[in-house]
Amino acid sequence: MKLVVLVTGANSGIGLALCGRLLSEVPEGLQLCLACRNMHRAEVARSALLTSHPTAHITLLQMDTSSISSVIKAAQEVRLRYEHLDYLYLNAGIMPNPQLDVKAFFKGLFSSRIISMFATGEGILTQQDNVTSDGLQEVFATNLFGHFLFARELEPLLCHTHRSSQLIWTSSSNAHRSAFDLEDMQHRRGTQPYSSSKYASDLLSLALNTRYNKQGLYSSVICPGFVMTNLTYNILPSFLWTLLMPIFWLIRVFTHTFTLTPYNGAEALFCLFKQKPESLDPYAKYHSLTSGLGKNYTEPKKMDIDLEMSELLYKKLLILESHVKKKLEEAQKEA
């Protein structure tokens, strides 16, 4: 039976790099589905992958994780296409309108914090969030809740006692407990919605393991390291990135978190594809790392999370799920 792998946010960055690496690993035994918001970009990505892997089985799925109706419609389509789902990579994410604290940034450049500052963005990055048509905070909906709802809708394909399946979240080193408030899980009142959403995904992964491991479903989180993608390029003007790149290559000699390229950043995502999910630590985040000599490897690091908070988050997400579904049903009846 062929492996079925679905990747959200697969048309660029580490999502696209992962797809290329998966096709190189299992060229004939893989059904790969690219779930993307923009179908034109998805077609371009599919064509690029088929150029390198002409016999590959690659399908497309239109899904915007910030839209409840889009997520539910996409899940319905997946249930029609497949009888099972082996790997679900929850990779799509946004960081809208990133703002750099210039004073803190240049202060950090000439301090002992320079490496951690670049690696995590802590203390120098804020974002201006938006509200979706469903009334949800956009970053929360895109990075976390849409994926949660999608996985919930796909339970029949993911949960099998006779075979295991994996959820693999793309988290971040920018996931800080200090940015997350359980009483404000959508981060309506804060200025770090990206960090909050990624910390929430770390918590949620633990709760999912508690709930679903006995049904054959396992959840893990990874950090791609500091990667130059569209998400990153929006933070600073292009001329500054040009000036900083030599510094990044130098820093990689001292810390291996600067993976820099999407291919390197996808290392942990690719590594977990080859692991038995039962052997993975639910309290660990698996980090993509690249040595100064360019060697890629993966290393697990304990997350700053606890079971009680993860359970509380899970319950709050279930309540929100019930609310948005009811609201959607009412809107459809009125239409």
Side-chain angles (χ1 to χ4, degrees), residues 8 11-12 45 49 60 75 80 92 126 131 140 169 202 205 213-214 236 290-292 316:
T8 71
N11 60 274
S12 64
L49 291 170
L60 303 179
L80 289 174
T126 62
V131 178
F140 166 82
W169 299 78
D202 296 351
S205 180
N213 280 180
K214 290 183 179 180
L236 292 172
T290 304
S291 72
K316 288 175 78 72

Side-chain angles (χ1 to χ4, degrees), residues 114-185:
I114 182 171
I115 293 177
S116 63
M117 181 184 74
F118 280 121
T120 68
E122 186 173 13
I124 62 170
L125 282 181
T126 62
Q127 303 93 46
Q128 295 177 355
D129 206 353
N130 301 303
V131 178
T132 71
S133 59
D134 297 305
L136 303 175
Q137 293 300 120
E138 186 179 24
V139 176
F140 166 82
T142 305
N143 296 1
L144 179 79
F145 186 67
H147 282 136
F148 168 75
L149 182 59
F150 191 52
R152 289 269 297 161
E153 291 289 305
L154 295 179
E155 279 184 21
L157 304 189
L158 291 164
C159 297
H160 298 282
T161 54
H162 61 282
R163 62 187 294 158
S164 61
S165 57
Q166 283 185 264
L167 298 177
I168 303 175
W169 299 78
T170 299
S171 182
S172 171
S173 57
N174 190 252
H176 304 299
R177 180 189 281 261
S178 60
F180 180 76
D181 181 356
L182 195 59
E183 298 306 314
D184 183 25
M185 66 177 181

Side-chain angles (χ1 to χ4, degrees), residues 88-335:
L88 176 52
Y89 283 94
L90 304 171
N91 169 70
I94 60 169
M95 184 193 291
N97 307 309
Q99 302 292 316
L100 182 71
D101 186 330
V102 177
K103 183 178 178 181
F105 174 74
F106 282 103
K107 185 177 179 181
L109 279 180
F110 303 100
S111 73
S112 59
R113 290 183 54 253
I114 182 171
I115 293 177
S116 63
M117 181 184 74
F118 280 121
T120 68
E122 186 173 13
I124 62 170
L125 282 181
T126 62
Q127 303 93 46
Q128 295 177 355
D129 206 353
N130 301 303
V131 178
T132 71
S133 59
D134 297 305
L136 303 175
Q137 293 300 120
E138 186 179 24
V139 176
F140 166 82
T142 305
N143 296 1
L144 179 79
F145 186 67
H147 282 136
F148 168 75
L149 182 59
F150 191 52
R152 289 269 297 161
E153 291 289 305
L154 295 179
E155 279 184 21
L157 304 189
L158 291 164
C159 297
H160 298 282
T161 54
H162 61 282
R163 62 187 294 158
S164 61
S165 57
Q166 283 185 264
L167 298 177
I168 303 175
W169 299 78
T170 299
S171 182
S172 171
S173 57
N174 190 252
H176 304 299
R177 180 189 281 261
S178 60
F180 180 76
D181 181 356
L182 195 59
E183 298 306 314
D184 183 25
M185 66 177 181
Q186 294 194 45
H187 208 73
R188 295 185 187 277
R189 299 188 295 270
T191 59
Q192 301 179 70
Y194 181 81
S195 178
S196 175
S197 70
K198 293 302 181 181
Y199 185 78
S201 69
D202 296 351
L203 286 172
L204 179 55
S205 180
L206 180 61
L208 291 171
N209 279 308
T210 303
R211 303 271 175 160
Y212 290 105
N213 280 180
K214 290 183 179 180
Q215 300 177 56
L217 175 60
Y218 296 82
S219 181
S220 301
V221 291
I222 73 98
C223 173
F226 185 85
V227 186
M228 300 306 297
T229 64
N230 292 335
L231 215 64
T232 318
Y233 281 119
N234 288 332
I235 297 171
L236 292 172
S238 57
F239 79 91
L240 275 180
W241 286 126
T242 303
L243 293 174
L244 289 170
M245 282 307 293
I247 298 175
F248 295 161
W249 286 98
L250 178 63
I251 290 176
R252 200 160 78 177
V253 175
F254 304 99
T255 177
H256 297 172
T257 59
F258 281 60
T259 50
L260 298 183
T261 70
Y263 181 94
N264 296 345
E267 180 67 20
L269 292 168
F270 183 60
C271 176
L272 294 194
F273 176 78
K274 299 184 289 183
Q275 303 297 317
K276 290 184 178 180
E278 302 90 335
S279 68
L280 300 173
D281 183 354
Y283 284 88
K285 182 179 294 184
Y286 290 81
H287 289 250
S288 296
L289 300 168
T290 304
S291 72
L293 297 176
K295 180 182 178 181
N296 294 320
Y297 63 102
T298 299
E299 183 177 289
K301 298 180 181 180
K302 289 289 184 180
M303 294 186 286
D304 181 20
I305 57 174
D306 62 76
L307 185 58
E308 181 180 3
M309 186 181 286
S310 73
E311 285 293 314
L312 290 172
L313 173 63
Y314 184 83
K315 291 175 182 177
K316 288 175 78 72
L317 290 173
L318 287 180
I319 294 171
L320 181 59
E321 175 191 24
S322 177
H323 172 74
V324 297
K325 280 187 172 181
K326 183 178 179 180
K327 188 176 178 181
L328 181 62
E329 289 173 0
E330 291 174 350
Q332 290 173 340
K333 287 179 181 179
E334 292 177 0

